[in-house]
Amino acid sequence: MKFDFILHWLWALVFSILALSGIAMAGAKYGWVMQYDIATADVVHRVAAIVYVLLTLIVILYEIIRILRRDKTIKPWLVFGPSGYGLFTFITTLIFIITGAFIWLFMDSDKAGTALSLWIHEKLTYLAVASVIWHIYMKTHALMWPKKKMQKAK
Amino acid sequence: MWMQKKWFKLLIWFITTSFFFAFSAILISMLRFGPTEKEAMDFKGGMMKAMETSLMGLSMQVKEDSNVQRLMYESVQLVFPLLAISIAGGVYVRCRRKV
């Protein structure tokens, strides 16, 4: 299986976990998503965030290695790209990581900074989830169920 | 091809559906009335519990526990020598390998 393909779906899975656990913590109106179990949502969100950061580092390292090796093959499944949705994902990912790290590290010491980071983190989540819906709509061919004839032929 | 495997199709259907659930949850939560007093109390209770049992609470306990702090300080001291030894070991193995 291709490396960029695995990264793409691992990325999608982790982002989904982050979105659902994050929504549950967004406020009293949103708590029902995880039955107001904020403790579990918090642990799940933080553990998934660590995996998210690691995946980001792996994708960036993979791109650096490709540049150093002058590898010009097109990787359609790669999460980050120089334009379009890949660029959007890259920028939003960096903002998510920076604001998330700020909230995690300075929650006790910098209340104003944490409040701003939380606001950006939350609003960006809504934008990112909406963009994922659009992304799914544009790539719906991936969801087509294989026909029996095609399977038999293979 | 992996994309044509049924188990894989099922997985991506599951993942993509979860995004629709997330999007719907945001819209429903934003547009509905509330929160009610009970919901606000439940949320506060959840937050209080999170302070005690989650990683947030754990990190606060670490800050207060002098034994854990000493253990962490001593662990940090060991990190760099161990890192240097493992890098040297890795380079040695890489240089010894023929292929």
Side-chain angles (χ1 to χ4, degrees), chain B residues 36-75:
Chain B
T36 61
E37 202 176 325
K38 189 189 174 297
E39 284 168 349
M41 289 311 287
D42 283 346
F43 189 75
K44 271 186 189 172
M47 275 292 185
M48 291 302 285
K49 202 179 162 204
M51 293 296 280
E52 290 160 12
T53 58
S54 75
L55 293 181
M56 201 196 300
L58 187 72
S59 63
M60 282 170 79
Q61 281 172 26
V62 168
K63 276 180 195 167
E64 288 162 10
D65 196 325
S66 60
N67 281 329
V68 177
Q69 275 189 338
R70 190 173 51 81
L71 189 71
M72 281 180 75
Y73 177 76
E74 283 173 7
S75 306

Side-chain angles (χ1 to χ4, degrees), chain B residues 2 5-6 22 24 28 32 36 48 54 56 63 76 95:
Chain B
W2 286 97
K5 302 266 182 198
K6 275 190 177 173
S24 315
I28 292 165
R32 79 192 178 96
T36 61
M48 291 302 285
S54 75
M56 201 196 300
K63 276 180 195 167
V76 169
C95 292

Side-chain angles (χ1 to χ4, degrees), chain A residues 19-148:
Chain A
L20 287 170
S21 56
I23 291 163
M25 291 189 286
K29 261 183 160 185
Y30 299 80
W32 62 272
V33 178
M34 279 187 75
Q35 301 286 310
Y36 295 95
D37 190 355
I38 310 298
T40 308
D42 183 55
V43 173
V44 169
H45 199 75
R46 283 174 199 245
V47 172
I50 293 165
V51 180
Y52 187 69
V53 173
L54 286 175
L55 280 175
T56 305
L57 286 175
I58 290 168
V59 179
I60 291 171
L61 277 175
Y62 185 60
E63 275 296 277
I64 291 170
I65 291 166
R66 265 162 48 85
I67 291 164
L68 290 175
R69 284 184 172 176
R70 292 187 171 79
D71 180 2
K72 293 211 171 107
T73 51
I74 296 162
K75 303 276 180 190
W77 291 98
L78 214 58
V79 185
F80 299 151
S83 61
Y85 198 67
L87 183 65
F88 174 80
T89 312
F90 183 55
I91 293 167
T92 48
T93 300
L94 292 185
I95 300 172
F96 271 131
I97 292 173
I98 292 164
T99 52
F102 195 93
I103 297 162
W104 193 333
L105 296 171
F106 301 107
M107 191 176 249
D108 298 325
S109 53
D110 189 347
K111 302 282 182 196
T114 304
L116 178 67
S117 300
L118 271 168
W119 186 83
I120 296 169
H121 209 75
E122 186 193 332
K123 303 299 180 231
L124 198 63
T125 304
Y126 305 150
L127 181 69
V129 172
S131 78
V132 170
I133 301 293
W134 176 81
H135 181 62
I136 293 168
Y137 173 71
M138 296 302 284
K139 310 281 178 183
T140 34
H141 57 270
L143 293 165
M144 298 281 277
W145 201 258
K147 285 178 183 168
K148 277 185 183 173

